[in-house]
Amino acid sequence: MAGRDDAADKGAGGSAATPDAAVIEALANAGVEIEGVTHTTHKAVRHPVVRIIEAITAAFGVIAGLLLIAATVVVCQMIFVRSVLKWSTIWQTDFVVYSATGAIFLGAAYVLSQKGHVGVDFIQSGLRGGVRRTVDRIGMLAGFLFCAVLAYSSWHYFHEALTQEWRTETVWAIPLWIPTLPLPLGFGLLCLQYVAEFIKYEGQRS
Amino acid sequence: MTPVLAGTLLLLALLVLLATGMPIAFALGLAALGGLLFARGPGVTDVLAETIFGGIANLAYVSIPMFVLMGAAVAATPAGRDLYGALDRWLGRVPGGLVLSNIGACAVFAGMTGSSPATCAAIGKMGIPEMMKRGYPASVATGSIAAGGTLGILIPPSVTMIVYGIATETSIGRLFLAGVMPGLMLTVMFMAWALYDCWRKGYRFDDAGRRFSLAEKFAALPRVLPFIIIIAGTLYVLYGGIATPSEAAGAGALITLVTVTVIYRLFTLKSHLGIFQSTMKESVMIMMIMAAAELFAFALSSLFITQTVAQTIAGLGVNKWVLLGIVNVFLLVSGMFLPPVAIIVMAAPLLFPIIVNAGFDPYWFAVILTINMEIGLITPPVGLNLFVLNAIAPAIPTREVLWGALPYVLVMMLGIVILCIFPEIATWLPNYVMGPVQ
């Protein structure tokens, strides 16, 4: 995918964790030990705030991955139950939809840290010096702004669902706050990750 | 403010935001936010999250990460190399044989994933270095992979067809079938162009004159077996009356994971982590763009831009083919600036009634729209396949890739013309399998 910023790809002094390392680190943080994998130590020192934020977003990245796996398994279980056992399915559809949707929001911040959100870099990568820095900063600020507004909006939505005790309009009828919780969490994490991106960017400039 | 002025300002804001290099999803979202604040006032922030959530929390959309997972699982193995290696044994003596093999491998891979960038990455990662090693120019190697990769969204399963099906309330199973024959047609046309081009330029780079015996050619066929298992298994679940497309996606993902794990001995947790990680990354990227496109569509209708455009087109009173031409130009231009899913979320509900009222078949139109989106994937400034190629072959300048991909763009345009003359290429198979549209 297109790196949004060739220089920033290298992270703070080339210390950005490789994707695998970040997942392993997050798993380790979550208390999961992987056999045969030695815990990666980073050669260069990352800003402590960046380290904390990226550990949090990577942990949610792992949760997002697990939710996607769960959704895949439940879809297969649903086919089995309905076509082989000929039973009706009640909770499966809701579970699949809400876990997959939740995964998208919970994983978004981790994907940002991995430069996984595609951007158009051909103009910005052609710029040099101060103009380039200004454009980079505006881009990050604009991204932060959008995520912050959505964090507020989705908090409002979640809060209403919780206090008004809304339920989903499906057979299962679970409280709506559960499937809407990943929205404020996800956009909140995106805001946090943008803070980390700022720190990494400025650190690399100085 | 008139809708025309509002639309122009919204488009300008979007382009300026995109130019900063920020993620496309957030640029779309922020531009939409500006439009919505203007049209509806600050109170609109209360409904943003609901719009996004209501837009993407849909059972059919669940299939997107699962079809991406199918591709990621195969891409994590040397399956891509095995596939075009097997094809190469049969095509090695033909001018540009390896280029043809790679295009063929892209078409087979497209039958297992719904995503074009994934197809491009899976085959290109191994195909481009091999072509360069044998002496093909960079433009020929990358151009063919860029174009072959676009087949990912035409040959089912297809992410764009799923989004089109939801946006227009058409049958996703039928849409998938509509893409099969046009997908094969484009594959043959791509191969024909590659063959002609390599013959014309005198490229004959077989394995240093090595000829494969018939026995060796047949010995390579079992390597294609995993692909046949995966595609046949998924098709059976999909059309055997067992499950809906989204359920078939889950079953397909499971079949793929089990098949590649057994055949390529992926028995470590680490290799599976890699598969889920790349699935999560690409799915999040696609779905966040769709989520933001929901907001953008909401902004367009709040500013009465959607309605104005629809009325203007309807009021033109032109011949239906002129109308289709206008729609095509619109799709081509927007395809240059935005990813396919964003355009379909925003434009399909607007264009669909216009096209159907003009007497066109909605399933045939889905194919035309998808080919337009394929062209957008390999034209600047926003071409997801170009970005992928830049990531897997950073040493090759984008100019070379574009130059190599240009003939394939013309081939696709020719494909659209052929489909306009013979719409049955798209509509015959779904009608044959599923009966005529009720």
Side-chain angles (χ1 to χ4, degrees):
Chain A
M1 284 301 120
R4 294 192 301 107
D5 179 349
D6 300 349
D9 271 353
K10 294 177 186 72
S15 69
T18 63
D20 281 347
V23 169
I24 293 160
E25 183 182 289
L27 278 172
N29 289 341
V32 182
E33 287 296 331
I34 305 164
E35 222 175 304
V37 175
T38 45
H39 196 65
T40 333
T41 46
H42 304 299
K43 289 177 196 86
V45 185
R46 282 187 301 167
H47 195 288
V49 175
V50 173
R51 242 184 14 227
I52 295 168
I53 291 176
E54 295 204 331
I56 297 171
T57 50
F60 276 96
V62 172
I63 295 173
L66 291 175
L67 281 172
L68 280 184
I69 297 171
T72 311
V73 171
V74 172
V75 163
C76 296
Q77 189 263 4
M78 175 157 76
I79 301 172
F80 181 77
V81 166
R82 218 176 34 208
S83 56
V84 180
L85 302 178
K86 309 280 178 202
W87 296 349
S88 57
T89 50
I90 297 165
W91 56 274
Q92 284 89 341
T93 308
D94 278 4
F95 179 87
V96 168
V97 171
Y98 295 136
S99 55
T101 311
I104 301 305
F105 295 109
L106 295 179
Y110 170 69
V111 175
L112 179 67
S113 76
Q114 301 294 314
K115 315 272 173 216
H117 291 290
V118 179
V120 188
D121 60 354
F122 80 107
I123 292 177
Q124 161 247 24
S125 64
L127 302 173
R128 291 282 169 267
V131 183
R132 165 76 183 257
R133 280 197 291 280
T134 310
V135 168
D136 282 345
R137 286 184 185 131
I138 291 174
M140 282 191 276
L141 208 64
F144 177 83
L145 184 65
F146 172 71
C147 295
V149 174
L150 260 293
Y152 164 77
S153 173
S154 46
W155 169 258
H156 177 84
Y157 183 39
F158 163 76
H159 189 252
E160 261 193 334
L162 184 69
T163 51
Q164 318 255 334
E165 295 178 12
W166 287 342
R167 289 180 172 268
T168 59
E169 292 168 6
T170 52
V171 189
W172 202 20
I174 52 165
L176 190 66
W177 69 264
I178 301 172
T180 54
L181 177 61
L183 280 126
L185 258 178
F187 283 108
L189 285 167
L190 274 167
C191 293
L192 261 183
Q193 185 59 43
Y194 260 116
V195 172
E197 297 295 316
F198 264 117
I199 298 173
K200 282 198 284 188
Y201 187 81
E202 299 304 330
Q204 169 213 331
R205 292 285 162 213
S206 61
Chain B
M1 193 188 299
T2 66
V4 177
L5 181 61
T8 313
L9 287 177
L10 197 60
L11 202 63
L12 271 177
L14 176 62
L15 291 179
V16 168
L17 288 171
L18 283 175
T20 64
M22 69 187 292
I24 294 174
F26 303 154
L28 267 173
L30 194 61
L33 191 62
L36 283 169
L37 283 175
F38 178 81
R40 292 174 179 258
V44 81
T45 49
D46 291 352
V47 296
L48 297 176
E50 205 174 337
T51 307
I52 285 186
F53 186 73
I56 74 166
N58 184 313
L59 184 59
Y61 286 159
V62 172
S63 56
I64 293 176
M66 291 175 192
F67 282 131
V68 172
L69 174 60
M70 284 174 74
V74 179
T77 68
R81 191 192 56 211
D82 282 0
L83 179 61
Y84 81 72
L87 290 171
D88 188 40
R89 289 199 180 189
W90 290 83
L91 297 168
R93 305 294 298 175
V94 175
L98 193 59
V99 182
L100 268 59
S101 305
N102 274 297
I103 294 173
C106 283
V108 176
F109 194 85
M112 289 179 297
T113 186
S115 143
S116 283
T119 310
C120 205
I123 304 299
K125 246 186 327 198
M126 286 166 270
I128 293 173
E130 188 64 30
M131 281 190 274
M132 305 274 287
K133 206 167 78 192
R134 292 205 204 166
Y136 288 100
S139 64
V140 173
T142 50
S144 62
I145 295 284
T150 67
L151 294 168
I153 53 169
L154 184 57
I155 297 178
S158 156
V159 167
T160 53
M161 293 287 192
I162 295 167
V163 181
Y164 179 90
I166 299 299
T168 63
E169 295 178 359
T170 44
S171 151
I172 293 171
R174 195 177 271 277
L175 286 167
F176 279 1
L177 283 175
V180 174
M181 301 259 291
L184 295 178
M185 180 185 83
L186 275 190
T187 310
V188 172
M189 287 169 72
F190 285 170
M191 285 181 164
W193 162 256
L195 182 69
Y196 169 74
D197 187 44
C198 292
W199 168 77
R200 190 180 54 145
K201 292 175 181 162
Y203 299 145
R204 292 190 78 93
F205 310 114
D206 37 43
D207 261 346
R210 171 144 158 60
R211 280 173 186 274
F212 289 101
S213 70
L214 206 58
E216 280 176 311
K217 285 181 180 173
F218 277 103
L221 285 188
R223 293 194 205 165
V224 189
L225 196 65
F227 297 95
I228 295 173
I229 296 173
I230 294 166
I231 294 176
T234 314
L235 283 180
Y236 174 71
V237 178
L238 191 53
Y239 295 105
I242 295 178
T244 62
S246 35
E247 294 166 349
L254 192 73
I255 295 170
T256 311
L257 269 180
V258 172
T259 311
V260 299
T261 304
V262 173
I263 292 180
Y264 292 97
R265 307 187 175 281
L266 297 180
F267 296 125
T268 59
L269 181 59
K270 204 179 166 210
S271 49
H272 283 249
L273 272 183
I275 294 172
F276 284 111
Q277 194 201 10
S278 60
T279 303
M280 201 266 281
K281 273 171 75 172
E282 195 182 340
S283 310
V284 167
M285 185 267 285
I286 296 176
M287 301 285 286
M288 283 303 275
I289 291 174
M290 284 168 56
E294 294 281 352
L295 282 186
F296 205 86
F298 182 34
L300 287 176
S301 66
S302 297
L303 291 163
F304 296 101
I305 297 167
T306 318
Q307 300 85 329
T308 309
V309 172
Q311 278 166 10
T312 311
I313 295 179
L316 285 176
V318 289
N319 173 302
K320 73 177 200 173
W321 295 105
V322 177
L323 178 74
L324 186 73
I326 297 171
V327 169
N328 252 302
V329 171
F330 167 76
L331 289 173
L332 278 175
V333 173
S334 34
M336 290 166 76
F337 292 96
L338 287 171
V341 287
I343 296 173
I344 297 177
V345 167
M346 296 185 296
L350 159 70
L351 296 176
F352 186 75
I354 298 173
I355 286 293
V356 172
N357 283 339
F360 291 110
D361 182 277
Y363 296 93
W364 168 86
F365 178 65
V367 173
I368 299 290
L369 183 140
T370 303
I371 299 178
N372 273 304
M373 296 300 103
E374 286 184 70
I375 295 174
L377 287 171
I378 53 173
T379 44
V382 183
L384 296 189
N385 283 17
L386 299 177
F387 296 160
V388 171
L389 285 171
N390 192 28
I392 58 180
I396 301 169
T398 306
R399 189 169 40 84
E400 293 270 311
V401 183
L402 286 177
W403 194 241
L406 182 67
Y408 295 97
V409 170
L410 300 177
V411 169
M412 283 191 251
M413 287 179 173
L414 179 64
I416 293 178
V417 173
I418 294 176
L419 277 163
C420 289
I421 302 171
F422 305 106
E424 295 80 11
I425 298 170
T427 56
W428 176 79
L429 189 63
N431 286 341
Y432 179 76
V433 175
M434 303 178 75
V437 184
Q438 299 300 314

